[in-house]
Every structure is written in C-alpha cells, then in structure tokens.
Amino acid sequence: MIDSFATGNADVAYLGIDIGGTKTIALLLTPDGQVAARVQAPTPARHGPAMVLDTAAELAGRLLDGGRVAGVGVGAAGTLDPATGTVRYATDSLPGWAGTRIADELGARMGRRVHVDNDVNAAALAEAWTGAGRGREHLLLLAVGTGLGGALIRRGSLERGAQGAGGEVAHLPVPGAEQLRCGCGRRGHLEAVASGSGIAAAYALAAGEQVSGREVAARAAAGEAAAQRVLDHAGGTLGAALAGLVALLDPAAVVLAGGAAPAVLSAATRAYQAELLPAWSHVPLLPSALGDNAVAIGAARMAMEDR
C-alpha cells in the first residue's frame, strides 16, 4: 500500500526520490524547500534492482501527473558515481545493486533526466539547507539506519572525495566489534555496532533471540535491561567515534539522522561530550530536523542546484 499526503500545490516543483533498503519515498518540493506532496512504498529489495527501479518510477509517476516538475533527483543507497549515476558498491541490504545504472535506467522509465547521488549525501544537503545544520557551512552527518552512512559538507558543498565516498565512517575499526559482522562482510567495524543491523546482532548474542533493531529499542523503552545495555554500548561507541571525527574533520556541527538514531542518541551524546576535546567543546551533536524526508528533500535540492 502507498501512503500519501499533500500540503499544498506548486506550479513549479522539484521531484526528489529516496531509494532505501526498506522503503522508497518520492516527494515534490517547492523552490523554497516546502514539501508539496509525498508518496511512499516498501522497497522490493529482495526482488532485484529492476523491481526496485520500477517501484521508484511508479511512485514518481503518481507525482508527475499535474503541475510542472523542473527537475528530478535521486538519493540511493550505496557508493555512487555522481557523474554517471551508477552504483559502484553496495552492501547486502540491496542485493545485486552494485553496477545498477540508476540515472540511465530510471531516466528511461520516467522519460526524464535524473540526477543521482548517495542517499546520505542527499540527507546532508537537506539538513544543511533547511534542517538541523541550517546556517552552518561545515557539517558532518551520520545516518543510523539498517546500516551506517556518513557525509561531509565543506563550505556549503558536498565533499565527495576521490571515489564519491567522502565522509563515510561505517568501516572505521572500533574496539569490541571483533566478533560482529559489518554489512561489507568483514568484522570489527563501526557499522557492526552502531546500526540497526548491528544492534540486532548484538542483542542476539546477549539475549539469544533474533529480533530487529527497532524491537530492541522498543524493549529497552519498556525497561528490559539487556536491550538497554545493547543500545548504551552502540550509542557509546558511536559517540566516542564522532568525537574523534570532529577533531579530524573540524565541522561546525554533527547531525545524527536515520531511523535508528533516536534509540542511540542519548548514549551517543553522553559519550560524545565526554570524549570531545576542549577545542571542539562548542560543536553540537544534533538530531535530524527533517526525519524520513531528508534524503528525498536533498535529492530534489540536487536537481534544483543543477539547473
């Protein structure tokens, strides 16, 4: 089922699409950053890239009827080549996703030019424009979802790096994760601890029961000690890593986004503040202001900037 809502009509708007491992969101954005309409559906990740792109195109088609769309942008999971819109590398949250020519294949389905970048890059653009990082030219964003993503804004623009993966922090080695498998297939990385999948894996080791990261958070909220210990460890590990990254990257603020972020925010904030060096004590750790819409808003912003 596709949920939708509208907050108004716009004669000119930009279409932003968020292709994630669990859900796909499309929205229309006005030039001043207001969401005019939005649709959502589950991502058929296990059915392959073609079905994933079909779903994105179907959602977009619902919004392209009526009104004038000036540009289309996509934020997608994986490491992408922004020049070609092709996925260079992807984890197992989207099987077969590596090598997918999103810009060409989705553009052919829609009959339009499509701008594509990594989903966390898109979220960082959005948060720096109208979200928690508004007014700051230097921003580090961490997205805590099924996996763990990162993006860096320098002087108001994305710092993509040599391969389009600038700001990615998921594969930093961290203590205590040696037995935990990361989404990349190796062990011992930050994502293996401080992500939804990592939280679920840690809980399975601690409690002997396999449940989702969302369920672990629910059990912690209900007072279960084992679940709370897992979240405290995930958040503490993440917060300490972020404090080190602030010293390395020197952002004006750090934004924590993603569906699993609220569950680890408290522990992450405590560890972050405890580990932050005095020279950066003024750099805040902030929750996302745009929630689930951040990636799609940033994708629309990309299309807007490219005109």
Side-chain angles (χ1 to χ4, degrees):
M1 180 179 293
I2 296 176
D3 300 320
S4 66
F5 70 84
T7 60
N9 295 315
D11 293 332
V12 177
Y14 295 82
L15 176 63
I17 303 172
D18 169 11
I19 301 176
T22 58
K23 63 180 177 293
T24 299
I25 296 169
L27 57 77
L28 288 178
L29 198 72
T30 63
D32 61 354
Q34 299 300 308
V35 176
R38 180 189 188 274
V39 291
Q40 175 179 321
T43 300
R46 302 299 159 183
H47 295 280
M51 186 75 75
V52 171
L53 294 177
D54 286 345
T55 298
E58 178 187 359
L59 292 177
R62 293 172 180 261
L63 298 180
L64 289 172
D65 292 335
R68 178 168 156 244
V69 173
V72 179
V74 175
T79 300
L80 288 97
D81 180 348
T84 65
T86 300
V87 181
R88 287 176 169 158
Y89 168 80
T91 64
D92 53 10
S93 64
L94 282 170
W97 195 234
T100 302
R101 297 178 297 114
I102 300 174
D104 291 343
E105 295 182 32
L106 187 57
R109 285 167 169 80
M110 297 175 59
R112 290 171 176 266
R113 183 185 178 195
V114 175
H115 307 276
V116 182
D117 206 335
N118 167 263
D119 53 357
V120 184
N121 283 352
L125 279 176
E127 292 288 349
W129 179 34
T130 62
R134 186 173 185 174
R136 294 178 170 96
E137 288 195 329
H138 301 271
L139 185 73
L140 174 63
L141 181 137
L142 269 289
V144 188
T146 304
L148 185 69
L152 186 63
I153 301 288
R154 292 276 196 203
R155 299 180 181 87
S157 300
L158 278 168
E159 178 61 66
R160 290 191 172 89
Q163 299 185 83
E168 292 295 349
V169 302
H171 311 297
L172 289 174
V174 295
E178 293 80 8
Q179 302 304 314
L180 300 176
R181 183 180 180 274
C182 180
C184 70
R186 298 188 179 185
R187 297 178 188 274
H189 295 173
L190 183 59
E191 181 176 292
V193 179
S195 66
S197 58
I199 289 167
Y203 184 81
L205 288 174
E209 184 181 1
Q210 186 68 58
V211 299
S212 68
R214 188 181 298 274
E215 175 62 20
V216 175
R219 293 183 181 191
E224 184 184 308
Q228 189 61 59
R229 285 194 297 270
V230 168
L231 292 184
D232 286 346
H233 180 252
T237 302
L238 179 62
L242 288 174
L245 288 168
V246 166
L248 174 66
L249 301 172
D250 196 25
V254 181
V255 174
L256 208 57
V264 299
L265 179 61
S266 179
T269 300
R270 290 195 300 270
Y272 175 80
Q273 292 173 343
E275 294 291 336
L276 204 60
L277 293 173
W280 289 276
S281 61
H282 62 285
V283 178
L285 176 59
L286 305 169
S288 164
L290 301 176
D292 283 352
N293 287 340
V295 174
I297 289 173
R301 177 69 174 175
M302 289 188 303
M304 194 180 302
E305 290 180 344
D306 202 60
R307 282 181 57 81

